Amino acid sequence: MKSRIWITWENQRRSIELAKHFGCELFIVDYKGKGRYFLSIAKTLQILFKKKPEVLFVQNPSMVLAAVACLYGIVTRVPVVVDRHSNFMLTNKKRSALYVVVFSMLNYLTIKFASLTIITNKYIADIVKENRGTPFILPDKIPTLQKSKDVHLDGKYNFLVISSFAADEPIGNVIEAFNTLDESFRCYITGNCKKADRSLIESASERVVFTGFLAEQDYMDMVFAVDGIIVLTEVDYTMLCGCYEATYACKPLITSDKSVLTDYFRGALFIDNSAESIRSAVIKVSENLNSYTDSVKLMKQELVPRWDEMSRNLERLIQKFE
């Protein structure tokens, strides 16, 4: 096998898992604050000129990293594989005209001049094709999580809401749903709640617990400790990392009724993100824990070999570039 390196500008589980699986030396360039783009580009070029990879893998986001990689590939003729699991401007968020122009240029560059663009679903694959790129569909690998300790939780039925307090997450509806449940229920919401409106946090009853940002092992222990996991988005065509984590831990999964999620996570319970649908789903899971747990166990048994087959097909394709 020729030398392979994987560069990412954020500490993200998908890159860590895929880099290991495909035999890449992983470099995480994770500068913060002002000047981070300049520092990240400089560090990336330093890595490239030192390592001289024969196949280069990068994560997009960052779009800038993908652009640097593709320009490097054009100059050196090194195959560039871009793992682009998001960052396709699929929401209706308002953006400046300049942003749209720059994004469109970099989007086209990083798709057309990548040897291969790895994406997570068919809808995104069609976008790649429209931009004259070569897509390959590979969802996240079901991660391996390790429990280190038991975590004491206060409810009879405890649910973990995996969140980053992003704009697409209906956290207000989650809080409303749990506010109406009785004392036997607890909801633990991960992520930095400082990103949320103060009024949203203050609206939560004692049945809603904000964990704050959890260290990796503390987060894993919470995943294993709860009775069910809730992962929600208002955005279409987006795969959610929390769904994979729930699958590995064999925890009943409540997630959004979006096409890419319903197609892949067939053992989950799908909802429309309203407070009433969240409340109803939580009650259903609490009353049928064994049944919903068995559904996720069966789903895991199906997804693991399916992903292995996809990854073998991808490996064969990558080897053609070498």
Side-chain angles (χ1 to χ4, degrees):
M1 181 186 296
K2 293 187 176 181
S3 65
R4 301 174 176 181
I5 70 170
W6 187 300
I7 302 176
T8 174
W9 283 4
E10 62 179 358
N11 193 341
Q12 213 266 356
R13 177 174 285 133
R14 179 176 167 93
S15 281
I16 294 171
E17 294 280 352
L18 293 184
K20 180 179 179 180
H21 185 85
F22 290 105
C24 303
E25 185 177 2
L26 176 64
F27 296 89
I28 300 174
V29 180
D30 192 18
Y31 292 106
K32 305 294 185 183
K34 294 181 180 179
R36 67 185 184 278
Y37 284 107
F38 175 79
L39 292 171
S40 298
I41 291 171
K43 182 64 176 179
T44 297
L45 292 175
Q46 180 186 42
I47 293 168
L48 291 173
F49 290 128
K50 180 180 179 180
K51 290 295 181 177
K52 296 181 173 59
E54 293 170 288
V55 183
L56 171 60
F57 294 73
V58 296
Q59 177 186 299
N60 183 1
S62 161
M63 182 75 81
V64 176
L65 169 59
V68 170
C70 288
L71 290 172
Y72 177 83
I74 291 170
V75 172
T76 62
R77 296 190 176 183
V78 169
V80 175
V81 179
V82 177
D83 179 48
R84 190 169 176 181
H85 54 89
S86 60
N87 197 23
F88 281 90
M89 207 160 65
L90 297 176
T91 67
N92 294 322
K93 180 181 177 181
K94 291 184 178 180
R95 297 174 173 87
S96 69
L98 177 60
Y99 179 94
V100 173
V101 169
V102 173
F103 179 91
S104 298
M105 292 174 59
L106 292 178
N107 180 62
Y108 182 77
L109 168 69
T110 56
I111 289 177
K112 183 179 186 301
F113 292 101
S115 302
L116 191 67
T117 301
I118 305 173
I119 35 71
T120 60
N121 61 81
K122 185 181 182 300
Y123 180 86
I124 303 298
D126 291 339
I127 295 177
V128 172
K129 290 176 183 177
E130 290 170 4
N131 284 272
R132 300 176 63 187
T134 303
F136 188 94
I137 299 173
L138 186 71
D140 284 19
K141 188 176 189 290
I142 303 298
T144 300
L145 309 179
Q146 298 294 332
K147 176 182 172 181
S148 67
K149 64 179 183 296
D150 292 327
V151 178
H152 172 74
L153 301 176
D154 294 331
K156 179 179 178 182
Y157 303 110
N158 298 286
F159 288 80
L160 182 66
V161 179
I162 298 177
S163 169
S164 60
F165 288 91
D168 67 296
E169 299 170 0
I171 297 301
N173 292 349
V174 171
I175 292 172
E176 182 181 343
F178 276 86
N179 282 352
T180 63
L181 290 166
D182 64 45
E183 287 294 328
S184 63
F185 292 90
R186 287 292 184 278
C187 164
Y188 295 83
I189 303 179
T190 67
N192 182 3
C193 60
K194 292 180 181 179
K195 296 180 181 180
D197 290 339
R198 195 71 232 163
S199 59
L200 182 68
I201 305 302
E202 292 173 351
S203 71
S205 70
E206 68 280 0
R207 289 178 287 285
V208 178
V209 179
F210 298 95
T211 69
F213 179 80
L214 295 172
E216 181 76 3
Q217 189 57 59
D218 292 336
Y219 173 77
M220 292 184 192
D221 290 336
M222 280 294 291
V223 168
F224 283 105
V226 294
D227 299 297
I229 291 178
I230 302 172
V231 198
L232 303 175
T233 181
E234 297 286 0
V235 179
D236 289 320
Y237 315 116
T238 301
M239 299 292 269
L240 302 174
C241 291
C243 292
Y244 300 100
E245 294 158 353
T247 301
Y248 179 82
C250 295
K251 295 295 180 176
L253 172 61
I254 300 171
T255 191
S256 301
D257 188 9
K258 304 296 182 182
S259 59
V260 298
L261 299 175
T262 57
D263 286 346
Y264 198 71
F265 297 102
R266 297 177 184 175
L269 181 57
F270 299 101
I271 61 174
D272 64 13
N273 291 340
S274 67
E276 180 52 40
S277 70
I278 296 168
R279 184 180 189 278
S280 176
V282 166
I283 292 173
K284 284 181 181 178
V285 169
S286 67
E287 293 176 345
N288 302 277
L289 277 175
N290 290 338
S291 175
Y292 283 105
T293 299
D294 288 343
S295 292
V296 176
K297 287 180 179 178
L298 179 60
M299 178 172 68
K300 180 180 178 181
Q301 292 172 4
E302 295 171 348
L303 290 183
V304 170
R306 187 195 306 180
W307 191 92
D308 288 342
E309 179 61 26
M310 289 178 175
S311 69
R312 285 192 292 270
N313 291 337
L314 177 56
E315 176 60 39
R316 285 191 283 267
L317 187 56
I318 294 169
Q319 289 180 3
K320 293 180 179 178
F321 299 141
E322 295 179 331

